[in-house]
Amino acid sequence: MTEKDEAIMGRRSFLKHAAALAIASTSFGQICAWGQTNGDAPLRERAARKGLIYGSAVNYGALTRDTKLAASVVRECGIVVPENELKWEALRPSLDKFDFTQGDFILDFAKKNNILLRGHTLVWHQALPKWFETTVNSQNAEQVLRNHITTAAGHYAGKMHSWDVVNEAIAPWDKDKQSDGMRNSPWYKLLGPKYIDIAFKAAAAADPKAILVLNQDHLEHDTKIDAQSRAATLRLLKRLKASATPVHALGIESHLSMDGEIFSPGVFRTFLKDVAELGLKIMITELDVTDIMFSQNINKRDKLVANKYEEFLSTALQEKAVIGVLTWGLSDKYTWLSKYMPRDDKAAVRPLPLDENFNRKPAWNAIAGAFDKAENR
Ligand code: XIL
C-alpha cells in the first residue's frame, strides 16, 4: 500500500463517521455545507475512495492553449476521453492514412499525470470523413471497418481503460429507423446489424485489455422515446451476449435536459438493474445538464442544474455495476452546448461542474456529494 493509499484509507474511516453524521442530518444543504468545509478533495479522489472513476472529455485545442484548464483536469480527473480527436473525421485524412497526433498528445498528457484514458469512438454515424461516402461501398465496407478498428484500437492497445466501440446505434425516433429500433446508419446500410458484432470482435482482438462499451444516448428520461430506446438497447445487448460478442459495458451518455423531460428515479434504476443482470458494467459517459430553459439569474440556474446532477447521480450510483462517471467537459468555458444548445438570451450556458474561471460550482458540490454518499465498489 502506498502512502497515498494509506492516506485515502485513513480518510475513508473518517468519512464513514462523516457520512453517518450527514445521514443523521436531513437536508442536502447540510451535506453540501459539510462538503465545503471539510471536503476540498477533488472529484477524482472522492470517486476513487469508493472504487469509482471520475473524469471528463477533453479537447486538444483547449488543452494545449489553456494551462488553467489543464491544471483543473489534472486536479479533478482520474480519466479523460478525447472529445473529437479519435473520431474518424479526425483520425482518417484518407482511406490509407491514420493521424494519431492529437490522440497521442492526450494519451501522453494522461500518462504524465496518472490519468486513465478512454477512447471515443470506433464506429459512429457522425463525424465520418468526406471521402467515406464516395469510397466505402458494400463490397469493401467490412474490410474498411475491420482495418480501422484493428489499426486504431491496436495503436492504443494496453493503454485504453475502455473504448466506445459503437456509438448511438439505437434511434427509435428516426424516421428512417429499423423495426428493431436500430439506427439506419451508413454502417447499417452497408452491412446490416452485423456491423456491431464485427466491430466488437475486431476491437477485442486488437486490444484484449480494454473494456468494450456500447455507448448510447436517450436512455435517461421517463419519456416515450427514451423508453423505446431503453427497450431497443436491452434487446441489442441481449442479442450480443447470446452470440458471445465481446461487449463488456453499456455507456449511458446522460446529456440531461430539463425541458419537459422528466427523470423518474425508479424507471432509470430498473433499467440499470436490467443491464447489470446481463453481466455488464455501466459507465456514465457524457454527463452534462442544459440550463437553457432557466432565467438568467446565475445563482438560481446553478442551483437547478446542481439539483439535477444530485438527483441523477444519487440514483445512478445506487447500482453497483456503475463503475465510472465522466462529464462532457469540465468547465463551462469549453462545452459543446455553447454551440449546440445556446440560450435564447445569449447568456453563456452553465452545464458543467466548474465555471468559466475554473471555480467549483454547486454542480461540483452535487457530484462530490453523490460520490461521498455512494457505497464502495
Ligand atoms: C460532440 C462534440 O462535443 C462536439 O465538439 C462535436 O462538434 C460534435 O460531437 N454524443 C457523442 C459525442 O457521442 O461524440 C458528441 O460530441 C456529443 C453527443
Side-chain angles (χ1 to χ4, degrees), residues 197-216:
D197 306 67
I198 294 169
F200 275 95
K201 285 179 184 158
D207 186 354
K209 290 213 176 120
I211 298 172
L212 303 183
V213 181
L214 179 82
N215 197 48
Q216 181 60 40

Side-chain angles (χ1 to χ4, degrees), residues 43-45 53-56 73-80 114-117:
L43 296 178
R44 66 174 288 168
E45 201 176 310
I53 308 170
Y54 168 76
S56 83
V73 170
V74 171
R75 189 181 67 223
E76 302 286 353
C77 295
I79 189 166
V80 290
N114 192 23
I115 297 173
L116 298 169
L117 182 71

Side-chain angles (χ1 to χ4, degrees), residues 72-113:
S72 299
V73 170
V74 171
R75 189 181 67 223
E76 302 286 353
C77 295
I79 189 166
V80 290
V81 57
E83 183 177 3
N84 293 306
E85 292 74 359
L86 298 180
K87 293 173 181 172
W88 278 63
E89 203 172 36
L91 221 50
R92 304 298 306 275
S94 65
L95 179 63
D96 55 358
K97 285 207 178 80
F98 285 78
D99 181 355
F100 291 109
T101 318
Q102 299 193 350
D104 286 357
F105 175 88
I106 296 174
L107 169 66
D108 200 44
F109 167 83
K111 263 202 332 216
K112 277 189 189 134
N113 294 296

Side-chain angles (χ1 to χ4, degrees), residues 83-84 87 120 124 167-168 253 255 286 328 336 340:
E83 183 177 3
N84 293 306
K87 293 173 181 172
H120 176 82
W124 196 24
N167 199 32
E168 302 181 343
E253 288 190 8
H255 293 292
E286 304 185 14
W328 203 240
W336 73 307
Y340 285 83

Side-chain angles (χ1 to χ4, degrees), residues 4 22 42 110 118 143 172 176 187 189 212 303 309 349 376:
K4 196 170 168 204
R118 66 187 313 272
Q143 195 262 325
D176 206 17
W187 291 110
K189 286 190 184 115
L212 303 183
K303 210 167 174 183
Y309 270 102
V349 296
N376 284 332

